[in-house]
Amino acid sequence: MADTSLPDAPASLSLPERLKTVKIPHTKVVLSAVEDTLKDKKTDRTPTAYFAVILALLSQSISTTTGIVSKDLATSVVYLLDVVTPFTPPALLRSKFSQILTHLAPALVHPEADAPLLRPALGCLETLLLAQDTAAWALPAAQGPRTGLVAVLSLAVDHRPKVRKRALEALTQILTHPPPTPSLDHPAAEMCAETALRKLSELATPKNRKQRGKVQNQNHHEPALIHALQLIKTIAAASGGWPSRNIEPLCEVLLNISRSSHEYLTVAMFEVFEAIFGGMADEVFSAKLPRLMGVLADLKPSENDSHLLPPWIAVVSRGYDVSAQASPEVTFHKLPEVFQLFSSFLSSSSYNIRVSASEGLVSLLANCVPDLRENQAPEDQQTLEKLALAAFDLLTVKYQASWMEVFNVLGVIFEAFGPKSDPLLVDVVKTVGELRSAESFNGKKEADEVIGKAISAMGPEPVLQILPLNLIDPKPGQVGRAWMLPILRDHVSNARMGHFRSEFVPLSAAIFQKVIESGNAETMETKIFQTVVSQIWAILPGYCNLPVDLKEAFDQSFAEQLANILYKQAELRVDICKALQNLIGSNRSVLAQDSHDGGVTAEEAQKNLDHLAGFTGNLLAVLFNVYTETLPQYRGYILTCIDAFFSITPAQEMMTTLDKVVSLLNSSLAEPAKEKPRKQNDNQMPPMSHTFMTLIVAMAVWLPRESHSTPYQVASVFLPKGDDPQLQKKAYKLVSRMIESQTAVQERSQEVGELFLKNSEVSAPARRDRLQAIMQIVPFLPENDLHFIPAILSEVVISLKEVNEKARTAAFELLVIMGEKMQRGGTVVNSAVPGMPADAPNVSATLEEYMTMVSAGLAAPTPNMVSASITALTRLLYHFRESLPDALITELVSTLDDFLTSKNREIVRSVLGFVKVCVISLPVPLMEPRLETIVPHLMAWSHEHKARFRAKVKHILERMIRRFGVQTIEKWCPGEDRKLITNIRKTRERRKRKKDEGGEDDDDEDEDAEKNDGKGGRFESEFDQALYGSDDSEDSDDDEELLGRKPSKKKSSIKDGRTFIIEDEDDDPIDLLDPKSLSKISHTRPTQSRPVHRKMKAKTDADGKLILGRKGANNDEDDNDDEAMILDNGRRVTNETQISMQEGGGVNAYIEAIKSKDAVQRGQRGRLKFNSNQKKGIQEDYHEEGDQMDIDDPPTLGKSEAGSNGKNRGGFKGMPPKSGRGGIHKVKQQRRGLGAQMTGMKNRDDENGGGGGGGVMKGRVQKGGSTRGGGRGGRGQSGMKRGRG
């Protein structure tokens, strides 16, 4: 029987609304009978009345003696009872509990009861048990509600998933809503726990599991045991952990289950403990936690038990995590004891135990050590000291086998201790550093991570005191530690900048002096010194990341030193600029968050920024000079640093800087322009005007309000400069940057709009920036004057045809933004639109008016503009389809339908996109009347000779069939074109059959499936799924072009991220350091390149006949290549090859051809059959020892040779025959071509009838001498049958 239950209705629905949701026919009949009974008795339809009538029906459908009388009636009655009982008064439910339970009991235990009956029965039990009070739960089990709860517990481990799920849901509701009682747990929680634990113990005993394994054929999933664990998990989660009395036997059973090798059981066991601890994390139930932790401690397994010890460690560590949340101080003080316990397991010989112990220690340190920066008690210090001693003890020889796991623990303890690591963990740092310096030590990477975390926690200064670098004049016995420089670079933060100045700046100067003393010679020692200097200055950005002594350390002398480095040492500029940027960025982030980060408050961060602002003038001058002297491809980071300094520059100084840059810009424009080189050179500096314009763009957003006029003046000068596209592009970028200040835009929106309208001539590179600038202007246009939109609309529409993809994307976005602006309302002053008469009336800004403006482009004189207008209307129709009136949409569809009759393919291509959007997005009643004309117009283009148009039309018809049905489309399809509709229909049916048979997926999914909201799918929106949700790849680019979107990547040939190297013919290894090596790396499997042979003239005698086997008369060269004959298929045959091919003779070739495993067989109707391994055999024949023939492709039997374009079916003597229609395969000798002299053959009787060969003219083998391969072959002299050529 089908599932007649319905999803649970919302709790806010009333009883009449719930009853209206009943849709099952039989249940509706029963409900109608109940309502007729109430009507006959003239009783109001109250919940109590419904309950009384349905309860009477229950006694008729389920008998206490005979069981279920009528299964269908019982299912409907119980379902209605489940609907009604939540609205019935609890007192009435308590009074009728025994009666209802008596009638439901036969259904709950009936062997034929299925899910549609059991699920509503469980719902009734849930409501009845929720209505019971404390007194009812205190009754004995045989009299009170506990009897019903036992039924719920039994069904909670049922083998049917839906029944089991409903029982667990009911059990959760019952235990989470106890009656008023002083106890923390539900009165029945202990009974539930005992029942579930008894069931679990029975299933988990080895004897029962062994017997059950025999019955279930060793089912590795252990379903019954997993169901029992799920019941335990539900009770634990619903009752706030687990009843305290039953906690010990539960833990023992669960830990015994963890011995199983079944991963499902282990996962289920951990889920149970997670549910128990999750319930105890609540402050109300946290009192149960000490009891649980004590039980777990008593159940500690043997130290060598590799099966039980790892899960025990995981459970205990999780327990301490929960304990730390409930009582952090108590748990922290217990931590040394647990740390020692887990540490003892690190000496185990079992790898699994060592890894589990290290993970347990990591969990303890990460979760149980509180933040001790403030209000530290003496007991806390003692606990830290105990933990530090225990951590240092892990580095003894006792734990040498687990040092890799120990290093992981040490890294976490540094993170947990933080600044307290100094001096508690000094010995740890020293020992790890000594181990790292040993050449034979294998854990250098892990040791580096520990030292790095020590630097982050303690700071670089204490670590360098413990582990000095010893790079300059080390004393005997001191070890150099240059390997610490990269570690310092990656982990220094929030440190004293003064330490860098006192420690690393002199060190860098000393090492650099050695480089100077060496005379900059290119020696290995000099290279090492230069590398060390670079690594030293790479540490500076870390010291500049929120330094604690910025005001003291960053003074005038240090700023001058950094400026000198920027000027003189180009290789260090990246690190210096990053350091300066970090100084500003880190303090600004603290100021923005108003937080106390790294000991720097927001007030101190503001003082640091004010201190840095005093150096901006000089540093900006240095950065400007360096920027102008650096090639464009290498100066991006300098501009980022300049922008950071702009953010803290005082307003007055910012205006002064702007004036200087503008004056320099004017001076650079006054200089005579240099002649541009014909070829672009990467090492050529751009014009200074471009550089200064870039700086103005960078500072635009940081300018004070009173200086906004200057950038606009600069922009107004360069916007008309179409002869210099780069300057024009930067001018539009300048406007965009200025728009980021909304106040300035609101004040100058009209001025900017007029400026754009006056300068409508735009170079191609600047088109995208102009559109993006307009995109930011439109939202700030005043609503009382929107003339800018119609004035700029034609430019936006024609930009949809731009070659640049980003420009097209910007045009589509701007088109929608302008529509949204018009939709919000306002006034369009038509008299202000260029080209409109002065007395043109104003119109209201509406979406309909905007569509009318765009539609005006349909009357344009050029097909390009008409096509762009159609594309614009398509995008607007889809975006605003729910806001446009049906009359306007109908008129628009009708108008564009007429354009399908146009002779211009560009226009029709846009209309096809419009039709597709209409088909997939517009309502069916709106589109069906238009199919009478749309379908015939579409079919007219299905005959187009271009496959792209035909495929697009076919795809649109497929979508129509999905949406409107095949009968509707056939109705309006012309008779001569219905074959296409029939083909589409049959293809869909074939795919559906294959899908039903378990074959390939149905590519043409139903429309309902395509209207999925896309959750977990590959489309980001409904539009993407509707428009691109098809396997038709030929028109996907057109559709994406329609919307100005970036074309979606089609199925890439890159599989699993694999890459291939294209090898050279000489098989030399590729040099990956060579920039040209990129051309030899491919993401697709490279095909074997065919060897290119230089075609030589074939040797001829005085009569022009071919000479095979001896040196020719017309060529005096003795090179081996001259002894080869180049055939028309590109193969090269040498003299030795011909001799080796003739050694077997014609008889042997004939025997091989008819008796070998690769022989040709004749099948039905005399058709030839070829062995599938024949190609391989032929290829092996041509690669035997002594064979000198070079083959481009192995010959393929049954197909024409590619060398003759499938038409030259014959062959030359001495060559293997092509598989034309005549001849015997694998014959060594064939009929000679016309005019070819036969050499090396003494008996023509050995020849076989071959296919017709290509003709030979003037002593050369001529390609394709015969269009059909020479017709029939001749009769062999030996009397063999004539083969067809």
Side-chain angles (χ1 to χ4, degrees), residues 1080-1231:
K1080 298 182 180 180
I1081 298 176
S1082 171
H1083 289 289
T1084 58
R1085 184 181 297 277
T1087 56
Q1088 186 67 29
S1089 59
R1090 297 183 177 182
V1092 179
H1093 297 294
R1094 185 165 50 96
K1095 291 190 176 183
M1096 306 289 293
K1097 276 190 176 182
K1099 297 176 183 179
T1100 59
D1101 59 7
D1103 297 330
K1105 297 180 180 180
L1106 293 177
I1107 299 176
L1108 307 179
R1110 70 170 187 258
K1111 297 181 180 180
N1114 294 346
N1115 201 329
D1116 298 332
E1117 298 178 6
D1118 294 333
D1119 188 49
N1120 289 335
D1121 289 341
D1122 296 338
E1123 297 179 8
M1125 181 180 68
I1126 305 300
L1127 301 183
D1128 57 351
N1129 62 355
R1131 293 197 177 115
R1132 190 172 67 125
V1133 183
T1134 62
N1135 297 335
E1136 291 82 1
T1137 306
Q1138 299 171 36
I1139 294 172
S1140 65
M1141 294 171 65
Q1142 296 171 12
E1143 287 177 354
V1147 177
N1148 292 341
Y1150 172 72
I1151 294 174
E1152 182 182 4
I1154 64 175
K1155 291 187 177 182
S1156 68
K1157 63 179 182 179
D1158 295 329
V1160 180
Q1161 304 292 333
R1162 288 195 177 272
Q1164 296 179 352
R1165 299 181 182 178
R1167 294 180 178 177
L1168 298 180
K1169 292 185 177 180
F1170 305 98
N1171 189 355
S1172 60
N1173 296 327
Q1174 202 165 8
K1175 179 176 179 180
K1176 179 179 178 182
I1178 291 177
Q1179 190 172 5
E1180 292 174 352
D1181 291 341
Y1182 279 98
H1183 287 81
E1184 291 177 352
E1185 292 183 8
D1187 193 352
Q1188 298 295 324
M1189 177 178 290
D1190 294 335
I1191 302 177
D1192 290 348
D1193 279 333
T1196 304
L1197 297 177
K1199 294 184 181 179
S1200 302
E1201 290 288 1
S1204 58
N1205 298 325
K1207 297 181 180 181
N1208 188 1
R1209 299 172 183 260
F1212 289 98
K1213 179 180 177 182
M1215 284 294 295
K1218 303 171 186 177
S1219 56
R1221 292 188 293 173
I1224 298 178
H1225 297 278
K1226 301 200 69 158
V1227 179
K1228 303 288 184 172
Q1229 301 164 359
Q1230 286 191 1
R1231 176 183 176 185

Side-chain angles (χ1 to χ4, degrees), residues 1098 1100 1103-1106 1114 1234 1255-1262:
T1100 59
D1103 297 330
K1105 297 180 180 180
L1106 293 177
N1114 294 346
L1234 181 61
V1256 179
M1257 301 178 60
K1258 297 183 181 180
R1260 293 289 303 276
V1261 179
Q1262 186 71 18

Side-chain angles (χ1 to χ4, degrees), residues 587-629:
N587 285 280
R588 283 176 59 86
S589 63
V590 172
L591 195 61
Q593 299 173 3
D594 195 13
S595 61
H596 183 80
D597 191 5
V600 178
T601 62
E603 183 180 357
E604 293 174 349
Q606 183 61 54
K607 293 180 179 179
N608 291 338
L609 292 176
D610 295 340
H611 177 73
L612 291 174
F615 300 93
T616 54
N618 295 330
L619 286 178
L620 280 176
V622 173
L623 291 172
F624 283 177
N625 293 333
V626 174
Y627 182 79
T628 56
E629 296 172 0

Side-chain angles (χ1 to χ4, degrees), residues 6-35:
L6 290 175
D8 294 336
S12 59
L13 295 181
S14 61
L15 179 59
E17 293 173 338
R18 284 291 306 273
L19 293 175
K20 288 181 181 179
T21 61
V22 177
K23 301 296 182 183
I24 300 93
H26 191 275
T27 307
K28 292 182 68 175
V29 172
V30 175
L31 177 61
S32 177
V34 170
E35 292 177 345

Side-chain angles (χ1 to χ4, degrees), residues 621-692:
V622 173
L623 291 172
F624 283 177
N625 293 333
V626 174
Y627 182 79
T628 56
E629 296 172 0
T630 308
L631 291 173
Q633 60 268 30
Y634 303 120
R635 63 187 186 184
Y637 62 92
I638 303 177
L639 187 61
T640 304
C641 184
I642 291 174
D643 190 67
F645 272 97
F646 282 156
S647 64
I648 63 171
T649 304
Q652 186 61 39
E653 190 167 347
M654 196 72 181
M655 297 173 62
T656 305
T657 304
L658 176 64
D659 294 338
K660 291 180 180 179
V661 177
V662 170
S663 63
L664 292 173
L665 174 62
N666 295 329
S667 302
S668 62
L669 292 174
E671 297 177 358
K674 297 181 180 179
E675 184 179 356
K676 296 183 180 180
R678 296 182 180 180
K679 294 184 179 180
Q680 186 69 22
N681 188 358
D682 292 339
N683 295 326
Q684 181 184 2
M685 294 294 295
M688 293 301 294
S689 58
H690 294 182
T691 301
F692 292 134

Side-chain angles (χ1 to χ4, degrees), residues 454-468:
I455 293 172
S456 300
M458 304 169 63
E461 194 169 357
V463 174
L464 289 176
Q465 290 177 358
I466 303 169
L467 302 173

